Amino acid sequence: MDSIKLKAMAKINLGLDVVGRRPNGYHDVRMIMQSIYLYDNLTLTKVNNNRITIKTNLPYLPTNENNLVYKAAKLLFDEFHIEGGLAINLDKHIPVAAGLAGGSSDAAATLIGVNKLYRLGLTKKELMERGVTLGADIPFCIMRGTALSEGIGEVLTPIPPLPNCHIIIAKPDLSVSTKYVYEHLKLDHTTYHPDIDGIIDSLKERNLSDVASKIGNTLEEVTVPSYPVINKIKQFLINEGALNSLMSGSGPTVYGIFDNKETARRAEQKLKQAGLAKDIVLTTCFKLRKYK
């Protein structure tokens, strides 16, 4: 095998709680991560030179060692002393800097691809252990499906998937610094903490309405006041029939959960007409055949 094609899935957070801050500056979290059918396409091809090269459809993305895809490939090339080079074509569809783990998912796909392409024999767990050294979301992006994420994001427990539904993804025309959001998050007695265990119970019961009623994100306390358009999109989606709406990750992307496809389609069209978001996608959740 000289070439391999992969899909790098985006994620949303059904719940994101920040429970503490470590002395090194990292935060302890409890998050519920859900893969969705919004993905980048990667093609990895063996080449005869000794270089790792990246081509992408977005001219503003770095294609050197500053790209997580490059770092992921080089990590395995260096560890296993892989000879030759690798040409990577990255076709981006996940909005950049959006709270959807696009870069982390691209890096995860690269680790999986290099492992298969060069028959390194690493297990999924071993790939996840390497991935976390590059980014806290990468282990989940390797695992995919639905999971409770703890620690700094690297401790993963598979849980039942989001019941069948339709999801609108809406990213306004702005970027949010994850570092800024976490640095400005105040953890005290007034901090909002979503009911993570309650969401898990509702997922186990396969009750979409209950899940939607409990979704929550601690980081909204920082991001929403700084960028009011986020709350405008949330309220727009709810007014158009969403069971609920939430910011994903540190933002600025907002998603809405719908139990009816036609309602979701109408909301998608009206949201496009309203001009509140630059990137708008109607999709569904991605489920593993087995979550245990």
Side-chain angles (χ1 to χ4, degrees), residues 49-54 63 69-70 73-74 77 85-88:
N49 58 37
N50 292 313
R51 296 185 299 138
I52 297 170
T53 60
I54 303 172
T63 55
V69 165
Y70 182 97
K74 193 171 189 305
F77 265 65
L86 185 68
I88 303 172

Side-chain angles (χ1 to χ4, degrees), residues 217-228:
N217 184 345
T218 298
L219 300 182
E220 284 192 344
E221 291 196 343
V222 178
T223 312
V224 170
S226 300
Y227 304 98

Side-chain angles (χ1 to χ4, degrees), residues 1 4 9 19-20 30 56-58 62 79-80 92 117 148 174-175 180 201 225 245 264 270 272 275 285:
M1 182 166 58
I4 187 170
M9 300 279 183
V19 297
R30 294 190 81 222
T56 179
N57 59 321
L58 299 182
E79 179 181 351
F80 290 91
K92 288 288 295 180
L117 201 57
L148 171 66
L174 57 93
S175 295
Y180 171 88
D201 289 341
S245 181
K270 288 185 179 181
K272 288 178 178 178
C285 59

Side-chain angles (χ1 to χ4, degrees), residues 12-167:
I12 56 173
N13 296 96
L14 301 179
L16 195 164
D17 190 13
V18 181
V19 297
R21 192 192 315 267
R22 298 184 181 186
N24 61 6
Y26 284 92
H27 288 76
D28 284 298
V29 296
R30 294 190 81 222
M31 305 185 291
I32 298 176
M33 314 270 266
Q34 173 67 60
S35 300
I36 58 172
Y37 272 111
L38 171 60
Y39 53 84
D40 297 336
N41 293 299
L42 286 89
T43 304
L44 280 58
T45 305
K46 293 179 181 178
V47 291
N48 292 325
N49 58 37
N50 292 313
R51 296 185 299 138
I52 297 170
T53 60
I54 303 172
K55 289 184 179 180
T56 179
N57 59 321
L58 299 182
Y60 53 83
L61 284 183
T63 55
N64 55 16
E65 63 275 3
N66 293 320
N67 193 308
L68 267 179
V69 165
Y70 182 97
K71 293 178 180 179
K74 193 171 189 305
L75 185 150
L76 294 183
F77 265 65
D78 288 349
E79 179 181 351
F80 290 91
H81 307 289
I82 297 172
E83 296 182 359
L86 185 68
I88 303 172
N89 186 71
L90 173 57
D91 184 24
K92 288 288 295 180
H93 298 278
I94 303 172
V96 177
L100 298 172
S104 294
S105 193
D106 295 338
T110 301
L111 291 171
I112 292 168
V114 172
N115 185 46
K116 289 183 177 179
L117 201 57
Y118 292 94
R119 295 188 175 94
L120 302 181
L122 295 171
T123 64
K124 184 178 287 188
K125 181 181 178 182
E126 289 170 334
L127 287 173
M128 291 163 67
E129 289 170 350
R130 287 159 174 80
V132 75
T133 66
L134 300 175
D137 283 344
I138 293 177
F140 171 76
C141 293
I142 292 171
M143 176 181 170
R144 303 202 296 195
T146 316
L148 171 66
S149 173
E150 298 176 285
I152 62 168
E154 84 287 10
V155 182
L156 297 169
T157 305
I159 56 178
L162 187 64
N164 291 338
C165 62
H166 306 278
I167 301 168

